[in-house]
Amino acid sequence: MIPDVLDDYTLKTGTRKDALFYSFYVFFNKFAIGVSLGVSTLVLGAVGYETGACKQPEEVDLTMRVLVSLVPICLCLLGMLFAWLYPITELRRSETRLRLAELRERRRSSLSALNLAAKKRNSSQRLSSVSNTVERSEERRVGKECRSRWSPYH
């Protein structure tokens, strides 16, 4: 799903933010694990769980059953609801891929056109620079001849 979201985001904004999306994914995954461990520890402590005890109260048994069965089932159902409401369908994903391919092709052709224009501009600048250098050297040469011919210090 993350690559589909990245493609959709790229199409909407024109930029790719892969590292940002994957870092958010990893961060929230670790955050959820930390929250689940904290909540389960707090709940078990509230119902009387004793670390290292051989016998636990009845509430601990029921709480453990709920924490490892009912809560995951509810969260899986919630995840399925979000997946069902997910706006990127197979048709939309195919359209996005086609539009991204067109966008990449346009960028390649515009970049090649820009490179060609830059090469032309650079070659014309070099040509103009060479002609300016030739003109200046000619002016210097003529100027030296004139100065040497008309110089009072001759």
Side-chain angles (χ1 to χ4, degrees):
M1 287 176 93
I2 293 177
D4 296 336
V5 171
L6 278 167
D7 289 344
D8 196 52
Y9 179 83
T10 302
L11 197 58
K12 288 180 181 176
T13 64
T15 59
R16 286 199 68 91
K17 303 280 185 186
D18 296 32
L20 183 69
F21 278 82
Y22 282 105
S23 62
F24 269 106
Y25 172 75
V26 170
F27 171 77
F28 283 111
N29 198 1
K30 290 182 179 193
F31 181 75
I33 291 169
V35 168
S36 67
L37 288 172
V39 167
S40 63
T41 301
L42 286 173
V43 169
L44 285 172
V47 296
Y49 178 78
E50 295 175 30
T51 307
C54 292
K55 201 119 171 120
Q56 298 291 339
E58 282 293 319
E59 295 85 20
V60 172
D61 184 44
L62 177 64
T63 304
M64 289 288 275
R65 289 176 192 264
V66 168
L67 285 175
V68 298
S69 62
L70 189 59
V71 171
I73 288 172
C74 291
L75 292 176
C76 282
L77 290 174
L78 183 66
M80 282 191 245
L81 175 68
F82 283 131
W84 186 66
L85 295 173
Y86 186 63
I88 300 177
T89 61
E90 188 64 32
L91 177 64
R92 184 169 172 192
R93 189 180 68 78
S94 299
E95 290 172 356
T96 300
R97 291 211 184 259
L98 286 173
R99 289 173 55 196
L100 275 176
E102 290 170 0
L103 181 67
R104 287 184 189 119
E105 186 59 38
R106 271 189 270 136
R107 281 186 181 164
R108 273 191 213 115
S109 63
S110 67
L111 281 177
S112 63
L114 285 175
N115 287 339
L116 182 62
K119 285 179 184 177
K120 284 182 181 178
R121 188 173 46 249
N122 286 341
S123 65
S124 67
Q125 286 174 349
R126 278 191 225 123
L127 183 61
S128 127
S129 171
V130 167
S131 67
N132 287 342
T133 305
V134 168
E135 287 174 7
R136 280 189 298 237
S137 66
E138 184 65 24
E139 288 170 1
R140 284 188 203 128
R141 187 185 61 75
V142 170
K144 282 182 183 176
E145 287 176 3
C146 290
R147 279 193 301 259
S148 64
R149 234 183 283 150
W150 302 102
S151 173
Y153 307 105
H154 194 166

